[in-house]
Amino acid sequence: MTSIGWLGVVLCTVGYLLLSMKVIKAESRSFQLLNILGGLCLVTTAVESNDMPNAVANLLWMFIGVYALGRQLRTQGAVKTD
């Protein structure tokens, strides 16, 4: 289970690093997917270790990514149908 937590740390950190280096944009799917998957990994390990504040914080982080990605997909779908 610890390896899942470390994967979450790596995914979230790589996303932020790439964003900071201007390799990806905050609006990119890759940034949102890194945050969603990283958050999911961190939620999993936090729940397993009964660290509920950490679990909730990462769950919120993950859902922000889901919301942003969903908005991007809806916007992109609306543009294609026009």
Side-chain angles (χ1 to χ4, degrees), residues 10-26 28 30-31 34:
V10 168
L11 292 171
C12 288
T13 304
V14 166
Y16 187 66
L17 175 66
L18 294 174
L19 178 69
S20 297
M21 294 173 64
K22 299 186 187 317
V23 173
I24 59 176
K25 295 183 179 186
S28 69
S30 55
F31 179 67
L34 286 167

Side-chain angles (χ1 to χ4, degrees), residues 54-77:
N54 189 17
V56 170
N58 282 295
L59 191 63
L60 291 171
W61 186 262
M62 188 183 80
F63 280 126
I64 290 168
V66 169
Y67 172 77
L69 184 61
R71 236 179 108 151
Q72 290 170 3
L73 294 173
R74 280 192 306 276
T75 302
Q76 188 177 27

